C-alpha cells in the first residue's frame, strides 16, 4: 500500500502543475496585470506610473511563461509562472493584493469553516443514511413512493430558498437564533445551528434518494434474502447486512469530500456571515485578488487529491477483498 | 446507581448550551456588553483593504480611519454648507503667496508659489502604542534584528509595554514624505506631485535609496516644499495658487504618522504576521483600533490620550429642534467602545437593526438600499414616510444630499454623438430631453435622488436651484407648479430633425440612427429596457455593448465608447471638484491617463474659465465664472445631467446626535447612546416564538411514530396473515 500511496502522490505533482497552469492562463486571459492594478488602485487620480509600480511590486512585470532573453533553463525558471508556482508547492502562499499574509488568513478562517462543515457533514450523512434505510423498510409501499416524490421535490428546490426561508422564519420571525454572524468558542453554537439544520435539510432530498438506490441494489442480493430467511429482524438485516455491503459506493462519495470540508461552503458562509474559507474565496474572486484565488485553487486541488487517495485507502477498510498495489 | 456516560454528556451539553446562549434574548448576535462601558454596535459590508491613511481612499475604510487619524483640519459636524474647522491645527492654515524668489508676492505680481503654514495645537498625544515603548536607557523596546527574536508577538495586543508621545510638526512632514514614497502607493502621489514642490524629486530619490523591505528613514531625505518652523509649526510650499488645497488638509492622507511607528512595523518578520501600518493604525484621534479581524469584526475603543475636544454649540437651521445641540460643550467622545461586525448581506444587517442589535441600519455610505427600502418606507401624501412598524419604534431618520453626480456621458470624440457643431449639440440636447431622469429616480431609486441641471450638486458654492439654476436647454419653467418642466418629446424630435436625423433617420442616407451604450451591466435588465424606451421616443435605436469592467475602462481610455453611465463623489465640497471633470486636460484620451474627464470634453473657453475658478477665492468674480461655465456645458450637453444622490440613514431611538456628514465619516465621536433604553427594548422586541419549534417537533413525531408503529406491526405479521 505504501508504494501505491507514493505513486499516487507522485502522480499528483503534474496534476497540480496543470491545475496551476490552467488557473494562470484563465486568470491572465480575463485580467491582465494592468487590469488588476487598475482594479486595486481605484478610479481616482491613478497615474500610469502608479499602475506600473503596482505591477512591478507584485512581480507581474516579467515574462509570464517563457523568458526568451534568459539563458538555458532560466528561460522557464525566470518567469512569473515559475516564480509564483514554486512557492505554492512549498505552501508559501505569499501576500494578497491588499498586503495581508494569505497563510495566516487561511489558518484564521479554517476554524469557522470546519465549525460549520463538520457538523453539517456528519449529521447530514447520518440523517441521509437513516432516512434511506427507513424508506427501504417500506419499499414498494405507497409511503415509499410518496417519499421518493418528496425527495425529488426537495432536490428541485434551490439551496438559496432553504436559506432565505430558514433565516426569515427561524431567525427573523421566530427569533430563535441570530440571523447571521459567528462567535468563537462555545457561544458559536447559536450561530451554527441554523446553517447546519438548513444544510442537512437541503441535502436530504439528493442524499437519501441516492442511498436508497444503493441500499435497494444490495437488499435484493442473496445474502440479504438468506438473512431474512434465517429469521434476522429487518433492522438487523438493514444495519448488519445491507449497510456494510453498501459502504463502498457510499465511501466513494463521502471520503473524497472530507478533506474538502476545510474549504468551507461558498454560499452558506456568505449568507450567514461566517468568516470561513468559502467566503474568502468568493471575496477574492470579487476583488480580483489573483494571489488568493491561486492559493485557494491550489489548496483545493491538494485536498481533492488527498480525498481521492483516502477514498482508495478506505476501500481496503470497507472491503477486505480490495488490495492496493 | 451508576449514571450512563451518555446521560452525563447530554446533561453537560444541555447545561453548556443554556449557560452560553440563553441568558438574554436567544437571537442576540452580540457578545454580552458591560453596562458600564458605553458600547456602540455597528456593521460594515465591505471589508477594508487598506488602513494606511496615505493609501486608503474608500468610504468603507474611512468608517474606521476617520475615527482614528486626525489631519490638521476637519469638517464642522453640523454646519451646512460644509465648513472646515481646525482639528489638530489651532486655526485654518495661513496662505502666503510667493514670487519666484520665494518672497511675498506684491500686488499684481505673478504668483509662483503658495506657502501654507499650519500651527498645531500643543499637547496632542498619540494613542498608547508599543512603537513608543522604551527601555530604561531610552532605546526602543521593540526593535529586532531578525524575525526569530519576535516570534511571540503576532498581534499588537501581544506587546506588554506601550507608551505615547506628543504630536509634532515632524509627524506631518513624515507623512507627506510617505505620500511621495512610491512604495506606499498613495493614490494622491500623482496629483500632489503636481503641487507640492519637490515631491517628484523626492520620489525618485527614495526609490533609488530603498533596499528591499528594510525600513528607510524618510527623515534623512529632504523634500524641498516642506519646512519645519518649530515643533508645532510647519510650511508646505505648493506651486502657484491652489485654494482647494485646504480641503486636502482635512483628509486622512495628511494625517500625522510618527516615524517610530514606521520603523516599528518594519521589524523583520512583522509583515508576515500582518503587523503593518496598513493593518494597524496609530493615530491621535478619539478612537484607537484594538481588534482588527476584518473577516469578523473591528473594534474601536476610546483613545485614553485624546485631546480636549468638545461638542459643537452651533449648527444649521433646524438642528436645535432635532436635538443636535443638546450636548453642546460636552467633552468628546461619548462612547467608550464601538464594535463593527462584518455583514455581507444587506437583509441580515437590516434584520439585526430592526431587532435592535445594531444601533443604526448601517454605518457605511447609505444604509437604505433597494433591498431594505420597502421595509423602511412607504410613499404617503407628503412623500416618503416610515412604515407603521418603524414609526411605532420612533426610528430616527436623517437625510443628506451627497456632493455627487451620476450622469450619462457622451463621448465627445465620437463621430456621431460627439463634436461641437450646432447639429451635434442639438442631437445631444434632444436625447437629454427624452431621457427622463426623474422617471429613472422614481422607478429605479425609489424616488431617492435629486434631478441635476448641471455639473454642480446642491450644497456647493455656485449651485443654483429653482428657476435660476434650471437648464433651459432641457426644461421650461412651469409657473403653475413653480418647478422645471421637461421640454416636450415633439420639441426633442424637432431638435433631432435639425441635427440631421428627421424621425430618427439620417437625412442623407435614410438609415436609422443607432446609438451604442457601453456598459458592464446586462443588456436585458429592466434598466436597459427603460433606457432603450427613452431614446425610442424619438425613434433612436439603442444597442448595449456589454463588457467586463477592465475592458470597459480600456475602451474609455481609448475613446472607443459612445454613451456610458458614470458618476463622481466629491473629494471636497468645492465646485472646482466637479468642474474639473470637464477640463480638457483631464480628458482620458487627450492626457492618455486615468483622467477624470470621462467624456473627453474639450472647450478652450471652459478651460480658461476653469483656470480662473481654480485659483479665485469665493466671491462675485468666481461666481460669475462658475455661472458662465455651467451655461457653456448646459449648451454643449456633454452629459445627460442625471441626478445627485440623496441618502437616508436610520437609527434606533436610543442613538443621539445621528446627523450624517456628506464628506467626512469622522462623526462617531459625536454619537451618544442610551444603553438602558437599548437593553430594555432589545428584550421587548425579541421574545422568542417557540411555536415553530413545537410545530417542527410535532411534524417529526407525526412522521416517525406511525412509521415505528407500522414497522412493529409488520415485524409481528405471520406468513399466513401476509397471504
Amino acid at each position: 500500500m505504501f508504494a501505491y500511496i507514493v505513486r499516487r502522490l507522485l502522480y499528483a505533482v503534474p496534476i497540480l502543475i496543470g491545475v496551476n497552469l490552467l488557473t494562470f492562463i484563465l486568470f491572465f486571459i480575463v485580467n491582465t496585470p494592468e487590469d488588476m492594478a487598475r482594479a486595486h488602485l481605484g478610479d481616482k487620480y491613478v497615474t500610469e506610473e502608479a499602475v506600473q509600480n503596482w505591477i512591478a511590486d507584485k512581480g507581474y512585470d516579467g515574462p509570464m511563461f517563457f523568458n526568451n532573453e534568459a539563458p538555458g533553463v532560466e528561460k522557464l525558471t525566470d518567469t512569473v509562472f515559475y516564480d509564483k508556482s514554486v512557492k505554492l508547492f512549498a505552501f508559501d502562499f505569499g501576500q494578497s493584493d491588499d498586503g495581508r499574509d494569505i497563510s495566516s488568513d487561511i489558518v484564521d478562517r479554517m476554524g469557522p469553516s470546519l465549525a460549520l462543515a463538520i457538523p453539517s457533514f456528519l449529521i447530514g450523512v447520518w440523517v441521509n443514511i437513516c432516512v434511506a434505510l427507513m424508506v427501504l423498510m417500506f419499499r414498494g409501499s405507497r409511503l415509499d413512493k410518496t417519499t421518493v416524490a418528496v425527495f425529488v421535490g426537495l432536490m428541485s428546490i434551490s439551496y438559496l430558498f432553504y436559506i432565505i426561508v430558514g433565516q426569515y422564519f427561524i431567525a427573523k420571525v421566530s427569533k430563535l437564533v441570530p440571523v447571521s454572524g459567528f462567535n468563537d468558542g462555545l457561544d458559536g453554537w447559536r450561530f451554527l445551528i441554523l446553517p447546519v439544520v438548513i444544510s442537512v435539510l437541503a441535502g436530504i432530498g439528493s442524499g437519501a434518494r441516492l442511498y436508497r438506490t444503493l441500499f435497494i441494489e444490495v437488499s435484493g442480493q442473496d445474502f440479504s434474502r438468506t438473512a431474512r430467511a434465517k429469521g434476522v429482524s429487518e433492522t438487523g438485516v438493514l444495519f448488519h447486512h445491507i449497510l456494510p455491503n453498501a459502504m463502498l459506493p457510499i465511501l466513494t462519495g463521502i471520503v473524497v469530500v472530507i478533506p474538502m470540508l476545510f474549504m468551507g461552503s461558498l454560499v452558506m458562509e456568505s449568507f450567514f456571515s461566517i468568516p470561513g474559507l468559502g467566503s474568502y474565496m468568493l471575496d477574492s474572486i470579487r476583488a480580483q485578488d489573483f494571489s488568493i484565488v491561486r492559493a485557494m485553487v491550489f489548496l483545493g486541488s491538494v485536498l481533492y487529491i488527498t480525498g481521492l487517495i483516502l477514498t482508495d485507502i478506505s476501500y481496503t477498510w470497507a472491503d477486505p477483498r480490495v488490495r492496493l498495489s | 446507581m451508576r449514571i450512563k456516560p451518555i446521560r452525563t454528556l447530554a446533561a453537560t451539553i444541555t447545561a453548556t448550551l443554556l449557560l452560553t446562549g440563553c441568558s438574554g434574548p436567544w437571537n442576540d448576535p452580540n457578545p454580552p456588553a458591560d453596562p458600564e462601558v458605553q458600547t456602540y454596535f455597528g456593521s460594515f459590508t465591505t471589508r477594508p483593504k487598506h488602513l494606511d491613511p496615505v493609501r486608503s481612499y474608500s468610504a468603507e475604510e474611512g468608517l474606521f480611519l476617520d475615527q482614528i487619524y486626525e489631519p490638521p483640519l476637519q469638517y464642522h459636524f453640523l454646519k451646512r454648507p460644509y465648513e472646515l474647522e481646525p482639528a489638530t491645527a489651532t486655526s485654518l492654515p495661513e496662505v502666503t503667496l510667493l514670487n519666484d524668489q520665494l518672497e511675498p508676492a506684491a500686488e499684481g505680481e505673478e504668483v509662483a508659489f503658495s506657502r501654507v503654514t499650519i500651527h498645531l495645537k500643543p499637547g496632542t498625544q498619540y494613542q498608547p502604542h508599543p512603537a513608543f515603548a522604551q527601555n530604561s536607557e531610552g532605546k526602543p523596546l521593540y526593535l529586532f534584528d531578525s524575525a526569530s527574536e519576535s516570534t511571540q508577538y503576532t498581534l499588537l495586543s501581544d506587546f506588554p509595554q506601550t507608551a505615547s508621545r506628543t504630536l509634532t510638526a515632524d509627524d506631518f512632514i513624515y507623512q507627506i514624505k510617505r505620500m511621495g514614497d512610491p512604495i506606499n502607493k498613495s493614490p494622491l502621489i500623482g496629483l500632489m506631485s503636481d503641487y507640492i514642490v519637490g515631491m517628484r524629486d523626492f520620489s525618485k530619490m527614495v526609490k533609488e535609496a530603498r533596499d528591499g523591505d528594510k525600513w528607510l528613514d524618510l527623515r534623512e531625505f529632504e523634500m524641498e516644499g516642506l519646512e519645519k518652523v518649530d515643533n508645532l509649526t510647519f510650511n508646505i510650499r505648493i506651486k502657484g495658487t491652489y485654494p482647494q488645497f485646504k480641503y486636502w488638509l482635512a483628509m486622512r492622507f495628511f494625517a500625522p504618522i510618527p516615524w517610530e511607528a514606521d520603523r516599528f512595523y518594519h521589524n523583520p518578520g512583522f509583515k508576515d504576521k500582518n503587523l503593518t501600518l496598513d493593518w494597524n493604525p496609530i493615530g491621535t484621534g478619539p478612537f484607537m483600533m484594538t481588534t482588527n479581524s476584518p473577516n469578523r469584526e473591528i473594534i474601536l475603543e476610546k483613545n485614553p490620550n485624546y485631546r480636549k475636544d468638545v461638542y459643537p454649540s452651533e449648527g444649521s437651521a433646524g438642528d436645535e429642534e432635532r436635538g443636535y445641540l443638546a450636548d453642546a460643550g460636552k467633552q468628546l467622545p461619548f462612547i467608550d467602545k464601538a464594535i463593527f461586525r462584518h455583514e455581507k448581506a444587506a437583509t441580515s444587517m437590516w434584520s439585526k437593526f430592526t431587532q435592535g442589535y445594531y444601533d443604526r441600519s448601517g454605518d457605511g455610505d447609505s444604509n437604505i438600499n433597494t433591498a431594505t427600502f420597502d421595509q423602511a418606507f412607504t410613499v404617503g401624501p407628503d412623500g416618503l414616510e416610515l412604515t407603521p412598524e418603524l414609526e411605532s419604534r420612533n426610528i430616527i431618520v436623517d437625510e443628506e444630499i451627497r456632493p455627487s453626480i451620476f450622469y450619462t456621458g457622451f463621448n465627445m470624440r465620437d463621430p456621431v454623438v460627439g463634436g461641437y457643431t450646432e447639429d451635434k449639440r442639438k442631437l445631444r440636447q434632444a436625447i437629454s430631453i427624452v431621457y427622463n431622469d426623474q422617471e429613472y429616480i422614481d422607478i429605479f431609486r425609489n424616488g431617492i435622488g435629486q434631478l441635476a441641471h448641471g455639473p454642480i450638486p446642491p450644497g456647493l458654492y455656485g449651485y443654483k436651484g429653482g428657476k435660476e439654476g434650471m437648464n433651459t436647454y432641457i426644461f421650461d419653467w412651469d409657473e403653475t407648479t413653480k418647478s422645471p418642466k421637461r421640454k416636450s418629446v415633439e420639441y426633442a424630435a424637432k431638435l433631432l430633425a435639425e441635427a440631421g436625423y428627421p424621425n430618427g433617420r439620417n437625412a442623407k442616407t435614410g438609415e436609422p440612427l443607432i446609438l451604442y451604450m457601453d456598459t458592464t451591466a446586462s443588456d436585458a435588465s429592466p434598466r436597459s429596457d427603460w433606457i432603450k424606451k427613452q431614446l425610442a421616443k424619438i425613434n433612436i435605436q439603442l444597442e448595449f455593448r456589454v463588457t467586463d469592467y477592465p475592458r470597459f475602462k480600456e475602451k474609455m481610455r481609448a475613446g472607443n465608447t459612445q454613451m456610458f453611465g458614470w458618476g463622481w463623489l466629491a473629494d471636497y465640497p468645492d465646485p472646482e471638484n466637479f468642474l474639473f471633470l470637464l477640463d480638457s486636460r483631464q480628458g482620458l484620451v487627450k492626457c492618455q491617463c486615468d483622467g477624470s474627464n470621462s467624456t473627453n470634453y474639450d472647450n478652450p473657453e471652459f478651460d480658461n474659465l476653469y483656470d480662473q475658478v481654480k485659483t479665485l477665492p469665493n466671491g462675485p468674480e468666481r461666481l460669475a465664472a462658475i455661472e458662465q461655465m455651467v451655461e457653456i456645458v448646459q449648451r454643449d450637453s456633454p452629459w445627460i445631467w442625471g441626478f445627485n444622490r440623496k441618502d437616508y440613514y436610520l437609527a434606533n431611538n436610543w442613538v443621539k446626535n445621528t446627523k450624517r456628514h456628506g464628506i467626512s465619516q469622522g462623526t462617531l465621536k459625536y454619537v451618544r447612546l442610551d444603553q438602558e433604553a437599548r437593553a430594555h427594548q432589545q428584550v421587548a422586541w425579541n421574545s422568542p416564538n417557540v411555536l415553530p419549534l413545537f410545530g417542527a417537533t410535532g411534524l417529526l413525531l407525526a412522521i416517525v411514530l406511525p412509521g415505528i408503529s407500522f414497522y412493529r406491526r409488520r415485524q409481528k405479521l405471520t406468513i399466513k396473515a401476509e397471504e
Side-chain angles (χ1 to χ4, degrees):
Chain A
M1 191 199 288
F2 179 74
Y4 175 82
I5 292 170
V6 170
R7 198 166 62 242
R8 286 293 300 267
L9 287 174
L10 289 175
Y11 287 160
V13 175
I15 293 171
L16 289 172
I17 292 173
V19 167
N20 199 28
L21 184 68
L22 269 177
T23 319
F24 244 85
I25 292 169
L26 286 174
F27 220 94
F28 280 103
I29 284 174
V30 178
N31 264 356
T32 62
E34 194 172 320
D35 292 338
M36 292 182 209
R38 289 185 190 280
H40 282 93
L41 293 171
D43 288 328
K44 284 183 168 182
Y45 309 113
V46 180
T47 59
E48 188 54 35
E49 194 185 354
V51 171
Q52 296 311 322
N53 276 340
W54 189 94
I55 293 170
D57 188 50
K58 295 291 161 198
Y60 295 149
D61 53 345
M64 204 52 69
F65 299 105
F66 191 78
N67 189 350
N68 240 338
E69 289 165 15
V73 75
E74 283 181 22
K75 281 185 191 301
L76 290 173
T77 58
D78 191 12
T79 58
V80 176
F81 176 69
Y82 181 84
D83 183 48
K84 304 289 177 190
S85 304
V86 165
K87 285 179 183 166
L88 279 184
F89 279 89
F91 288 90
D92 174 6
F93 298 132
Q95 290 187 325
S96 64
D97 289 340
D98 58 13
R100 284 182 69 87
D101 185 63
I102 296 174
S103 299
S104 53
D105 268 357
I106 288 176
V107 170
D108 186 39
R109 283 171 172 265
M110 214 171 252
S113 272
L114 288 175
L116 172 64
I118 289 177
S120 301
F121 172 74
L122 293 178
I123 298 172
V125 169
W126 181 75
V127 167
N128 289 346
I129 290 176
C130 288
V131 170
L133 288 172
M134 268 179 69
V135 174
L136 189 70
M137 283 197 292
F138 307 108
R139 192 185 162 197
S141 69
R142 264 189 227 157
L143 182 69
D144 180 31
K145 286 170 189 162
T146 313
T147 315
V148 172
V150 171
F151 286 163
V152 174
L154 290 172
M155 278 169 67
S156 314
I157 298 170
S158 162
Y159 206 63
L160 294 178
F161 181 80
Y162 290 101
I163 295 175
I164 292 165
V165 169
Q167 271 188 330
Y168 184 76
F169 284 106
I170 307 297
K172 195 170 179 207
V173 176
S174 304
K175 304 175 181 93
L176 295 173
V177 291
V179 175
S180 65
F182 185 77
N183 274 355
D184 282 323
L186 287 173
D187 190 42
W189 74 270
R190 296 189 302 120
F191 297 89
L192 293 172
I193 194 159
L194 183 59
V196 168
V197 167
I198 288 173
S199 288
V200 171
L201 280 177
I204 283 182
S206 54
R209 188 171 161 271
L210 172 72
Y211 294 153
R212 176 187 163 276
T213 314
L214 298 175
F215 295 149
I216 284 174
E217 200 182 319
V218 179
S219 71
Q221 291 184 13
D222 291 345
F223 60 83
S224 302
R225 209 174 307 126
T226 312
R228 284 198 187 94
K230 274 167 45 186
V232 178
S233 71
E234 192 59 27
T235 25
V237 175
L238 287 176
F239 286 97
H240 296 121
H241 296 275
I242 295 177
L243 183 59
N245 283 290
M247 276 313 277
L248 227 55
I250 291 176
L251 285 174
T252 309
I254 287 177
V255 181
V256 75
V257 179
I258 292 173
M260 295 298 284
L261 296 178
F262 287 93
M263 299 297 285
S265 159
L266 294 178
V267 180
M268 210 51 114
E269 288 179 9
S270 288
F271 269 84
F272 286 94
S273 292
I274 292 169
L277 287 173
S279 52
Y280 189 47
M281 179 75 166
L282 208 62
D283 290 347
S284 60
I285 293 170
R286 279 193 195 132
Q288 299 185 3
D289 195 324
F290 179 52
S291 309
I292 299 176
V293 174
R294 196 181 59 225
M296 291 298 289
V297 169
F298 182 81
L299 193 64
S301 311
V302 170
L303 292 172
Y304 191 71
I305 290 167
T306 313
L308 290 173
I309 296 172
L310 286 178
T311 306
D312 287 352
I313 296 169
S314 71
Y315 287 166
T316 60
W317 167 76
D319 187 345
R321 291 170 300 177
V322 177
R323 291 276 185 275
L324 300 178
S325 59
Chain B
M1 195 178 101
R2 188 171 166 267
I3 301 170
K4 286 184 179 175
I6 197 151
R7 286 187 191 170
T8 315
L9 184 70
T12 313
I13 290 171
T14 312
T16 310
L17 297 185
L18 288 171
L19 284 172
T20 56
C22 303
S23 50
W26 294 6
N27 61 348
D28 189 350
N30 298 322
D34 181 350
E36 297 301 312
V37 179
Q38 289 281 319
T39 308
Y40 173 86
F41 289 100
S43 59
F44 59 101
T45 46
T46 311
R47 53 169 247 170
K49 278 184 169 180
H50 299 288
L51 294 173
D52 183 342
V54 86
R55 190 166 182 189
S56 159
Y57 204 175
S58 73
E60 53 266 24
E61 290 154 7
L63 172 63
F64 306 107
L65 290 180
D66 289 356
Q67 328 302 337
I68 297 165
Y69 285 106
E70 279 195 314
L73 308 178
Q74 64 183 7
Y75 286 94
H76 194 284
F77 174 45
L78 299 172
K79 285 185 182 173
R80 303 289 182 279
Y82 302 106
E83 202 174 281
L84 284 175
E85 63 177 13
T88 48
T90 53
S91 57
L92 294 183
E94 295 161 11
V95 180
T96 315
L97 304 179
L98 307 172
N99 60 22
D100 53 4
Q101 300 301 308
L102 301 184
E103 287 161 357
E107 187 85 23
E109 192 179 5
E110 195 181 337
V111 176
F113 302 101
S114 301
R115 187 172 59 215
V116 181
T117 305
I118 297 158
H119 301 282
L120 302 174
K121 285 173 184 160
T124 303
Q125 290 278 316
Y126 280 101
Q127 65 177 77
H129 196 278
F132 299 121
Q134 294 182 337
N135 61 19
S136 53
E137 294 163 2
K139 289 185 177 164
L141 201 56
Y142 303 113
L143 202 59
F144 307 107
D145 295 323
S146 68
S148 58
E149 291 176 34
S150 60
T151 46
Q152 68 271 43
Y153 306 115
T154 51
L155 296 169
L156 216 52
S157 53
D158 294 337
F159 295 90
Q161 298 289 321
T162 60
S164 178
R165 76 156 167 82
T166 309
L167 172 75
T168 68
D170 290 314
D171 303 331
F172 287 93
I173 290 173
Y174 196 82
Q175 170 72 340
I176 297 170
K177 287 179 176 175
R178 289 186 74 242
M179 192 190 294
D181 186 350
I183 202 159
N184 292 318
K185 302 185 193 72
S186 175
L188 283 204
I189 187 171
L191 182 78
M192 284 302 151
S193 293
D194 289 340
Y195 286 109
I196 298 177
V197 177
M199 186 177 267
R200 199 155 273 133
D201 294 335
F202 177 86
S203 301
K204 282 181 197 156
M205 200 159 49
V206 292
K207 194 175 179 180
E208 283 165 15
R210 189 164 288 286
D211 177 16
D213 275 348
K214 278 187 191 164
W215 177 56
L216 187 68
D217 189 350
L218 300 181
R219 292 174 301 166
E220 291 171 6
F221 300 85
E222 291 300 319
M223 192 187 292
E224 193 190 335
L226 298 177
E227 183 193 4
K228 177 184 173 183
V229 179
D230 58 47
N231 262 349
L232 294 174
T233 313
F234 68 102
N235 291 329
I236 306 171
R237 183 151 52 89
I238 56 175
K239 294 167 194 166
T241 53
Y242 185 30
Q244 293 74 33
F245 188 70
K246 64 185 176 200
Y247 293 111
W248 291 109
L249 294 175
M251 294 173 78
R252 52 185 175 271
F253 299 106
F254 284 87
I257 289 289
W259 65 269
E260 295 94 327
D262 199 23
R263 181 184 64 183
F264 172 82
Y265 287 120
H266 276 86
N267 265 312
F270 273 31
K271 200 174 172 184
D272 298 335
K273 295 183 274 194
N274 296 328
L275 278 172
T276 62
L277 193 52
D278 208 17
W279 285 104
N280 300 276
I282 166 172
T284 60
F287 295 95
M288 54 187 193
M289 193 175 279
T290 51
T291 300
N292 179 9
S293 178
N295 310 322
R296 303 182 190 197
E297 64 182 14
I298 289 178
I299 299 177
L300 306 182
E301 286 183 56
K302 192 195 256 185
N303 173 7
N305 301 333
Y306 188 51
R307 64 188 168 83
K308 182 172 166 52
D309 186 16
V310 294
Y311 192 91
S313 51
E314 292 174 352
S316 308
D319 282 349
E320 188 149 21
E321 292 75 27
R322 286 182 65 93
Y324 289 144
L325 290 171
D327 290 315
K330 289 182 184 167
Q331 174 65 32
L332 300 170
F334 294 115
I335 58 173
D336 301 307
K337 192 176 183 180
I339 300 176
F340 294 93
R341 310 202 91 186
H342 191 196
E343 282 291 349
K344 290 191 163 182
T347 46
S348 304
M349 190 164 72
W350 175 259
S351 297
K352 288 180 193 173
F353 165 68
T354 55
Q355 290 170 342
Y357 296 126
Y358 284 142
D359 292 325
R360 291 194 272 195
S361 64
D363 291 271
D365 257 3
S366 164
N367 55 16
I368 291 297
N369 53 40
T370 46
T372 54
F373 181 86
D374 291 339
Q375 297 172 63
F377 293 111
T378 56
V379 181
D382 301 324
L384 287 181
E385 290 171 2
L386 277 176
T387 55
E389 191 197 349
L390 296 190
E391 189 71 58
S392 68
R393 292 180 174 195
N394 296 322
I395 295 289
I396 303 162
V397 184
D398 288 282
E399 65 173 76
E400 179 84 31
I401 294 183
R402 292 197 68 180
S404 61
I405 189 161
F406 294 86
Y407 59 89
T408 304
F410 295 105
N411 178 11
M412 296 297 278
R413 297 173 76 96
D414 182 78
V416 180
V417 297
Y420 302 86
T421 53
E422 198 53 33
D423 56 332
K424 298 295 182 188
R425 276 192 200 111
K426 283 181 175 171
L427 171 62
R428 291 190 296 269
Q429 286 168 6
I431 295 170
S432 301
I433 289 169
V434 294
Y435 196 103
N436 190 339
D437 273 304
Q438 186 57 56
E439 197 177 287
Y440 181 88
I441 295 168
D442 293 339
I443 296 173
F444 297 105
R445 298 187 56 81
N446 298 307
I448 304 177
Q450 183 169 316
L451 199 67
H453 285 258
I456 303 173
L460 265 62
Y461 186 77
Y463 169 79
K464 282 185 176 167
K467 192 176 180 180
E468 255 193 314
M470 184 182 73
N471 183 341
T472 54
Y473 297 93
I474 314 296
F475 295 90
D476 292 317
W477 185 252
D478 187 342
E479 281 299 339
T480 49
T481 58
K482 301 283 178 205
S483 63
K485 187 184 171 193
R486 192 170 286 276
K487 287 181 190 286
S488 67
V489 174
E490 291 73 30
Y491 180 74
K494 183 173 162 278
L495 284 180
L496 188 68
E498 288 168 12
Y501 298 98
N503 203 24
R505 287 184 175 270
N506 189 315
K508 289 174 191 162
T509 63
E511 285 180 1
L513 176 58
I514 303 172
L515 298 182
Y516 297 93
M517 182 167 266
D518 293 276
T519 176
T520 54
S522 161
D523 61 345
S525 67
R527 201 172 299 224
S528 308
D529 289 342
W530 179 87
I531 297 171
K532 282 180 186 173
K533 276 179 192 163
Q534 302 305 301
L535 271 66
K537 287 176 190 168
I538 47 174
N539 297 320
I540 296 177
Q541 295 176 34
L542 185 71
E543 299 287 333
F544 279 83
R545 293 191 293 215
V546 183
T547 47
D548 58 18
Y549 191 64
R551 295 292 85 70
F552 173 70
K553 291 278 308 255
E554 208 173 279
K555 285 168 86 173
M556 291 290 287
R557 279 197 300 276
N560 289 335
T561 55
Q562 200 166 57
M563 291 172 72
F564 52 86
W566 207 255
W568 183 259
L569 293 170
D571 292 307
Y572 46 82
D574 190 90
E576 183 269 339
N577 198 233
F578 284 87
L579 294 171
F580 95 120
L581 302 175
L582 293 156
D583 173 24
S584 74
R585 289 150 291 189
Q586 287 288 329
L588 287 170
V589 177
K590 192 172 184 177
C591 75
Q592 277 301 306
C593 63
D594 270 15
S596 303
N597 180 353
S598 57
T599 54
N600 300 299
Y601 180 67
D602 190 348
N603 185 330
E605 191 187 358
F606 184 91
D607 289 352
N608 288 337
L609 287 163
Y610 171 73
D611 288 339
Q612 290 176 37
V613 166
K614 201 171 147 189
T615 53
L616 283 169
N618 284 349
E621 204 182 340
R622 192 173 196 232
L623 195 59
I626 292 170
E627 282 172 7
Q628 215 179 327
M629 292 172 84
V630 172
E631 163 61 24
I632 290 170
V633 288
Q634 281 180 340
R635 186 195 64 210
D636 282 345
S637 299
W639 301 353
I640 299 172
W641 297 101
F643 60 92
N644 309 117
R645 207 166 103 178
K646 192 175 182 181
D647 289 339
Y648 284 94
Y649 301 91
L650 303 190
N652 275 309
N653 60 39
W654 52 79
V655 190
K656 314 295 175 196
N657 308 326
T658 54
K659 188 166 181 172
R660 304 299 285 244
H661 199 282
I663 302 278
S664 168
Q665 293 202 82
T667 53
L668 189 65
K669 63 181 175 182
Y670 304 107
V671 170
R672 188 165 56 79
L673 301 166
D674 181 349
Q675 292 212 121
E676 208 174 307
R678 179 172 64 190
H680 177 73
Q681 293 186 40
Q682 278 178 353
V683 172
W685 293 349
N686 292 290
S687 130
N689 176 11
V690 290
L691 212 63
L693 212 59
F694 289 124
T697 315
L699 187 70
L700 199 68
L701 291 176
I703 295 169
V704 173
L705 290 180
I708 294 171
S709 161
F710 180 77
Y711 170 72
R712 284 188 176 161
R713 266 188 284 131
R714 211 175 102 168
Q715 286 295 93
K716 286 175 186 166
L717 284 178
T718 59
I719 294 170
K720 193 178 173 185
E722 251 185 327
E723 285 167 351

